[in-house]
Amino acid sequence: MPLTSDDLLARLRERAIPYTLYEHPPVLTVEAMMAACGDIAGAHTKNLFLRDGKKTYFLVTLHHDAQVDLKGFRSVLGARGGLSFASADALREQLGVESGAVSPLAALNAAPGAVKVFIQDALLAEERINVHPLVNDRTLSLNPADLLAALRAEGHAPEPFGLPGGTGDEAAA
C-alpha cells in the first residue's frame, strides 16, 4: 500500500527532517503550480517519470523552467534504447501517485533500486526546494540536503546531474 501524504509527513517528522507545508488548490501543470505557489520561497520543480527501452524507470527532478530534450538526455541518465514518458499505470504502480503529484518523494513508494532518482544539481545548490508530498494540493518546502537524507534513509540513491550542453547552473536552456 503506497504512503499517503500524511504518512509521508509523519515519516519526515520521525526522522527529524524539518519542512514547511503549504496547502493550495490542486495543480496539474507547472504553469498552474506557479500560479498557485509561485510566491513560496525557494526553487520550484517539475518532475518527469521516464522509462527506457529496457523498461528501466527514471524519476527526474528539474528546476520548474528547465528545458529537456529527451533524446539528448539519454546519456545523462544512462538510459538504454529510446527514452519516453512512462504510462499513468506505471506511475501508479511504481510510485503510487497520480499525474500532477509526482515528486522525488514519490520514490519512497518504490522499492530501493526499482526507480532511478535524478535531481538537477542546480536545485541542490538552492537554499530551499519545493516539492509535492505525494498529492498535488500540497507543497513541501525543505532544504535540499534534507530531501536527499529522506531519500537515502529509505534506501534510494539520488544522483545529481547537470543538463546536457551546460554547466547545470542555468535554470533553462
Side-chain angles (χ1 to χ4, degrees):
M1 184 93 183
L3 292 172
T4 67
S5 183
D6 289 336
D7 294 337
L8 171 66
L9 298 177
R11 194 166 287 182
L12 294 175
R13 286 190 301 272
E14 288 167 10
R15 297 197 183 282
I17 294 176
Y19 62 84
T20 304
L21 176 67
Y22 298 90
E23 298 200 12
H24 49 76
V27 293
L28 292 175
T29 64
V30 169
E31 293 77 19
M33 186 257 318
M34 290 307 294
C37 309
D39 60 341
I40 297 172
H44 295 277
T45 60
K46 71 176 166 186
N47 299 274
L48 309 176
F49 187 51
L50 306 170
R51 64 166 266 205
D52 69 9
K54 301 291 183 182
K55 295 189 180 178
T56 300
Y57 290 101
F58 305 90
L59 176 55
V60 182
T61 300
L62 304 134
H63 196 276
H64 79 279
D65 60 1
Q67 300 296 312
V68 175
D69 168 30
L70 289 186
K71 190 173 184 181
F73 206 47
R74 285 180 23 218
S75 64
V76 171
L77 303 179
R80 297 170 297 167
L83 191 61
S84 63
F85 288 95
S87 69
D89 288 341
L91 181 62
R92 281 188 294 278
E93 179 183 309
Q94 296 291 323
L95 300 179
V97 296
E98 297 296 325
S99 182
V102 181
S103 90
L105 293 170
L108 300 185
N109 281 326
V115 174
K116 295 182 178 187
V117 181
F118 289 82
I119 301 176
Q120 187 181 5
D121 54 4
L123 288 172
L124 299 175
E126 296 284 345
E127 191 171 319
R128 306 290 293 174
I129 186 170
N130 301 312
V131 298
H132 288 310
L134 311 180
V135 292
N136 65 358
D137 61 355
R138 291 175 158 182
T139 295
L140 281 183
S141 181
L142 62 164
N143 179 289
D146 290 331
L147 172 62
L148 294 176
L151 291 166
R152 289 178 181 139
E154 299 288 331
H156 298 281
E159 296 182 42
F161 71 92
L163 288 175
T167 63
D169 294 331
E170 65 280 348

